[in-house]
């Protein structure tokens, strides 16, 4: 999948072992951690290798050619699960088991969005959108029921003194407030099902996320909005 947006020529391809360091660097930069600083909480090169080994079809990178060399500027990680978005939501770590995707189920009927990240210098240039198209396209390619993830509310810190993470999340869902992660996801045509508390240890987000679901047949995964995710618990550092 090739994209050209605002003079940026990039291509989305399946992640291979040669991309492992580039994925790690991309995640660090997307989290505001300089390349010279280690990130023990980030998905590391060895984790990426495990992800590729367990589920090669579910790993994607966006790459450009810079000075004659391939450079990873975006990355997306998926796994399969039989734990549906209608079940009581689980925290991110409980869903994936390990950063190498120990809980990946080869026969799972749902895709779960583990991670998505774009280097800051390349954000707002169509890279995240292209990675989402690759992810959602995989649902139909392998005949699954749908895709879901926790969209981490990275904009909450701006309103920390005014409201709780739950209140902020619902305002974002109702399009009353803009969130740099979840608003983008909603603009991709994904459906918000509710606010997930204690999803991921991220202070900027108040540890909260929004349950985001997509199904290729257009059916709603949850018939009554918000019922599945009113307590706990893509992803996304865009």
């Amino acid at each position: 999948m090739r994209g050209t947006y605002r003079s940026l020529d990039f291509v989305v391809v399946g992640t291979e072992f040669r991309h492992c360091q580039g994925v790690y660097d991309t995640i660090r930069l997307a989290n505001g951690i300089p390349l010279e600083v280690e990130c023990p909480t980030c998905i590391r090169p060895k984790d990426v290798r495990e992800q590729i080994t367990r589920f090669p079809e579910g790993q994607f990178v966006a790459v450009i050619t810079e000075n004659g060399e391939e450079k990873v500027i975006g990355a997306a990680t998926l796994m399969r699960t039989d734990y549906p978005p209608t079940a009581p939501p689980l925290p991110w770590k409980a869903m994936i088991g390990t950063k190498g995707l120990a809980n990946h189920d080869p026969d799972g009927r749902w895709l779960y969005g583990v991670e998505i990240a774009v280097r800051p210098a390349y954000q707002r240039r169509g890279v995240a959108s292209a990675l989402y198209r690759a992810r959602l396209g995989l649902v139909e390619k392998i005949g699954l029921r749908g895709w879901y993830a926790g969209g981490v509310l990275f904009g909450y810190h701006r309103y920390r003194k005014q409201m709780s993470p739950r209140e902020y999340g619902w305002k974002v869902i109702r399009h009353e407030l803009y969130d740099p992660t979840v608003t983008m996801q909603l603009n991709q045509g994904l459906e918000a099902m509710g606010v997930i508390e204690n999803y991921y240890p991220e202070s900027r987000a108040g540890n909260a996320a929004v349950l985001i679901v997509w199904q290729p047949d257009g059916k709603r995964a949850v018939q009554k909005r918000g019922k599945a995710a009113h307590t706990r618990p893509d992803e996304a550092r865009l």
Side-chain angles (χ1 to χ4, degrees), residues 46 57 68 85 98 123:
K46 74 178 189 68
E57 300 93 336
T98 65
Q123 292 176 5

Side-chain angles (χ1 to χ4, degrees), residues 79 91-104 112 114:
M79 72 177 211
W92 181 80
K93 189 63 180 293
M95 275 296 302
I96 66 174
T98 65
K99 294 170 187 173
L101 309 183
N103 285 353
H104 167 67
Y112 179 75
V114 176

